Amino acid sequence: MTQLFEEIPFVKNPQYERIIEDVLAQQYCLVEDFFTPEEVSVLRQSLIQKHKEDTFKKAAIGNRVNEIIIKSIRGDVILWMDELKANEAELLFFNKINSLVYYLNKTCFLGITYKEFHYALYPKGTFYKRHIDTFKNDDRRKLSIVCYLNEDGWLPENGGELVLYLEPNGKEEEKVIYPFPGRVVIFESQIIEHEVKPVNTERMSITGWLKTR
Ligand code: OGA
Ligand code: MN
C-alpha cells in the first residue's frame, strides 16, 4: 500500500517546551538567551539607526483608535516594525518569532494568527506605570513578548526593571526582571499587570504581541 501523505516529523524544542510549561504554570516565562549576543547587537544597531533617523513616536495609551499621549503614565518612544520591509536584523528577529509562533500553534491550539511588534526606547527618567496590555474594546492580544536590547553590563542601578504583579496563591507577589541583553519575557497579556520602573540610563527593547483573530 502506498502512503499518500508523509508525516512531517515534529521535533520537540526544549526551549519552546519550557516556555509553554512556564506560561501554563505561572502565566509568564523568562528566557535568558533567546537571542545570542551577536543577534542582540545587530538588533540594537537597527534600533539606534532608526532612532537617529527620527522615526520614533511618543508612545500612546490605548489602541490606535483611542490615542492619547499621557506622559505621566508612559514616557517611552516607539517605532512599529513592518515585517514586509524588514532589514537583515529584523528578518532574523521575525524568523525567530515566527518559529516560536509555529511551534505554539502546533502544540497549544492557541490559534495565533496575527502579531505586532515595536521598537521601544525609554529615555533617562521615563517609566511605564502599572498596566495591563489588553484594551477594553479589543482583547485579541494573548501573549506579550519583551526582548531586551541593552548593552552588555547593564546594572541594576540603571533602573528600568520590569515588575510583574503575580498572584500565585491569591496573594500578590512581585517578580522583578532586569532588562539584561538577550533576555526575553513572555507573559499572558490579559492577566498579568506589570510596570517599568524609572530608568536612569536609556533603555532599549522590542515589545510585541501574539494575537488571535
Ligand atoms: C509595554 C511594556 C515592558 C518592558 O510596552 O507594554 O509593558 O519591560 N513593556 O519594556
Ligand atoms: Mn505592557
Side-chain angles (χ1 to χ4, degrees):
M1 213 171 80
T2 51
Q3 208 178 342
L4 286 179
F5 300 103
E6 213 179 314
E7 282 272 308
I8 298 166
F10 182 74
V11 185
K12 276 207 169 197
N13 177 312
Q15 186 180 58
Y16 297 164
E17 288 293 324
R18 190 174 74 77
I19 290 172
I20 293 163
E21 268 171 42
D22 280 3
V23 171
L24 283 176
Q26 57 191 23
Q27 285 81 52
Y28 82 94
C29 179
L30 169 60
V31 187
E32 290 295 344
D33 49 4
F34 193 85
F35 294 105
T36 66
E38 295 72 33
E39 290 167 342
V40 171
S41 170
V42 297
L43 284 166
R44 180 173 55 239
Q45 289 320 311
S46 172
L47 182 153
I48 290 170
Q49 181 57 36
K50 280 163 190 278
H51 185 252
K52 268 200 201 128
E53 291 163 7
D54 207 22
T55 48
F56 280 51
K57 298 241 173 354
K58 273 246 163 23
I61 322 280
N63 55 23
R64 276 173 256 182
V65 188
N66 179 24
E67 268 188 8
I68 318 164
I69 299 160
I70 306 178
K71 239 177 124 194
S72 60
I73 297 180
R74 69 185 293 188
D76 54 329
V77 287
I78 66 166
L79 174 67
W80 289 98
M81 295 167 84
D82 184 348
E83 189 172 6
L84 299 176
K85 295 186 193 148
N87 63 26
E88 215 170 302
E90 293 163 346
L91 275 180
L92 170 167
F93 175 83
F94 281 117
N95 276 342
K96 280 215 157 168
I97 294 297
N98 291 343
S99 147
L100 172 63
V101 170
Y102 176 80
Y103 200 93
L104 291 174
N105 279 337
K106 201 93 179 138
T107 55
C108 294
F109 311 103
L110 268 174
I112 305 293
T113 52
Y114 191 73
K115 61 184 185 288
E116 54 187 8
F117 282 88
H118 64 59
Y119 292 105
L121 187 142
Y122 285 74
K124 185 172 157 54
T126 60
F127 49 80
Y128 193 163
K129 287 270 169 73
R130 182 165 171 167
H131 67 281
I132 199 152
D133 281 347
T134 47
F135 309 117
K136 282 197 192 80
N137 57 352
D138 182 355
D139 64 355
R140 287 172 299 169
R141 288 178 170 179
K142 295 297 169 225
L143 290 176
S144 303
I145 302 184
V146 192
C147 314
Y148 297 113
L149 303 180
N150 295 307
E151 299 271 1
D152 281 336
W154 180 271
L155 299 168
E157 52 264 43
N158 294 351
E161 56 272 42
L162 170 69
V163 181
L164 303 179
Y165 295 96
L166 309 170
E167 273 187 36
N169 313 301
K171 233 183 92 213
E172 187 166 286
E173 207 172 85
E174 293 181 11
K175 170 75 187 170
V176 176
I177 296 171
Y178 290 100
F180 297 142
R183 275 187 158 180
V184 166
V185 187
I186 301 172
F187 58 90
E188 285 196 41
S189 309
Q190 298 177 359
I191 297 178
I192 303 285
E193 289 188 28
H194 55 282
E195 76 171 293
V196 178
K197 294 287 188 185
V199 313
N200 304 318
T201 306
E202 200 169 72
R203 173 193 196 266
M204 292 172 278
S205 57
I206 293 174
T207 300
W209 295 274
L210 305 185
K211 302 169 74 166
T212 55
R213 208 176 288 286

